[in-house]
Amino acid sequence: MLYHVLYSLHDVSIIFNVFRYITFRTFCAIITSALIVFVLMPRFIAYMRKRQFGQVIREIGPDHQHKAGTPTMGGVVIIFAVTLASLLWGNLNNIYLWITLGLFLIFGLIGFLDDWRKVSRGKSLGLTGKEKLVLQALTAGIFLFLALKYGTFDTKLSVPFFKEFRPDLGFLYFPFTMLVVVGASNAVNLTDGLDGLATGPFVIVAGVYLLFVYLAGHAKLASYLQIPYVPGAGELCIFCGALIGGALAFLWYNAYPAEIFMGDVGSLSLGASLGALAVISKQELLLVLAGGIFVAEALSVMLQVAYFRLTGGKRIFLMAPLHHHFEKLGWPEPKIIVRFWIVAIFMGLLAVSTLKLR
Ligand code: 57M
């Protein structure tokens, strides 16, 4: 909104010309989103404590009983901050901004319903696992349909390290997009099991895709780097900036020992946003590299469950997802968290290196 109001004043004074630049508006979105979370989160935590809307801890698994009652659903504040900052600083004529915000909000709503059922200990407001997956897949499908219909978009698949090999998936791009978005959403959800464990890597991956959406939307740079050019994708830098600012400010409160958890409302929406960014920037498979921590966590569950069923009860890991395995090994929680962040940083650097290693 401010983009339209303030940039139009550049006839009055050259100063307002700065609002044309994506880099400037991205910086503003980072600061705006972070400030909103810093102002609202303490109040939200106090409100959730007062209403005793705290996390219910399940019996089985590593001992987290000391965390019982920790306020959750901090994702509500993150979503509010990201949405407001994106609408304030984004170009509201950009289709990718609207469909990505829409996907972000719908996945947040799905998570909210689940969280609400848990914290209110009420009757099941939440959806069943299958209903959630169908709704998530449907949302991802509509997201892609709108990108193809109103965006300058195609169904070709990019493969990291290869610049020539870009197979056109055609209609198969729909199930593929659903897999990327729903997979990313649920992988972040599974990872969010220790203080800041999902938040830290999320900020890193969002930073990687801030770079890739900027490059994808820049005709000259996309051509020089031989990556797909997606006119208008650069506007998602503002959304990325809002995600980074909001998540970093949230990490201030989610850092060990956490004063608040993001809830499914946060993990599902943040994860889905990474999937959406990967699709719009035409760097879909790169998410496996950049989001290696999330992939490892989800993979550990799939391997554990499959092996458990195949062997009639044996386990590969002491407990899945992967972070619980290290807990069972006796690693202190902060050590697990920071080591996962370190791996996430290396995975992010590897993802960026694919720009030149091709
Ligand atoms: C998402 N949720 C955390 C918090 C957060 C199929 C199976 C692998 C599913 C999986 C599962 O239920 N995952 C749900 C993980 C939960 O966090 C809440 O959920 C939101 C994110 N979705 O925002 O509101 C707990 O995580 C801890 N936490 C923190 N700090 C944070 O900043 O300490 C979260 C955020 C919170 C808190 O204790 O209560 C979670 O772990 O449930 N199930 C599991 O992950 C279980 N694994 C398991 O059963 N493994 C089996 C099979 C099925 C693979 C096996 O290995 O044999 C473990 N999780 C729990 N207990 N809680 C172990 C049992």
Side-chain angles (χ1 to χ4, degrees), residues 32-269:
T32 306
S33 182
L35 280 178
I36 293 170
V37 171
F38 274 123
V39 167
L40 295 184
M41 198 56 81
R43 290 161 178 78
F44 184 78
I45 291 169
Y47 172 78
M48 293 296 274
R49 281 203 181 284
K50 189 162 156 264
R51 295 291 306 272
Q52 293 190 328
F53 285 154
Q55 183 69 49
V56 175
I57 307 292
R58 273 178 293 177
E59 291 311 315
I60 60 161
D63 176 30
H64 279 203
Q65 289 312 322
H66 59 289
K67 294 170 181 268
T70 305
T72 183
M73 297 176 72
V76 166
V77 177
I78 300 172
I79 289 174
F80 174 74
V82 169
T83 303
L84 187 55
S86 299
L87 293 177
L88 270 178
W89 298 105
N91 175 346
L92 303 184
N93 297 321
N94 184 282
I95 180 65
Y96 299 128
L97 185 65
W98 284 111
I99 61 173
T100 304
L101 271 177
L103 181 113
F104 179 64
L105 291 170
I106 291 172
F107 272 74
L109 178 62
I110 294 170
F112 178 86
L113 292 174
D114 244 9
D115 286 330
W116 186 253
R117 172 173 56 84
K118 290 174 210 162
V119 297
S120 62
R121 299 174 188 76
K123 59 183 180 12
S124 161
L125 248 184
L127 306 159
T128 63
K130 277 202 177 65
E131 286 167 345
K132 266 195 291 188
L133 281 177
V134 168
L135 195 52
Q136 290 170 352
L138 212 56
T139 306
I142 293 167
F143 166 81
L144 176 65
F145 170 75
L146 295 172
L148 290 169
K149 184 171 173 59
Y150 298 107
T152 314
F153 206 68
D154 66 37
T155 56
K156 288 182 183 165
L157 174 68
S158 305
V159 183
F161 305 109
F162 296 91
K163 53 191 171 200
E164 310 299 340
F165 181 58
R166 286 199 63 216
D168 190 333
L169 298 184
F171 190 72
L172 285 178
Y173 200 74
F174 272 92
F176 176 73
T177 297
M178 293 173 185
L179 179 68
V180 170
V181 173
V182 176
S185 179
N186 288 284
V188 174
N189 181 42
L190 285 172
T191 305
D192 192 30
L194 294 178
D195 299 351
L197 187 70
T199 317
F202 171 80
V203 171
I204 294 157
V205 181
V208 169
Y209 276 100
L210 171 58
L211 173 66
F212 276 95
V213 288
Y214 179 77
L215 296 173
H218 196 294
K220 288 203 181 76
L221 291 175
S223 164
Y224 166 71
L225 293 164
Q226 295 180 293
I227 58 174
Y229 171 49
V230 184
E235 203 57 34
L236 283 180
C237 290
I238 284 83
F239 176 70
C240 265
L243 286 173
I244 292 166
L248 272 177
F250 171 71
L251 186 57
W252 186 270
Y253 303 97
N254 183 234
Y256 181 86
E259 301 166 61
I260 187 155
F261 302 150
M262 66 171 75
D264 287 17
V265 59
S267 57
L268 290 178
S269 54

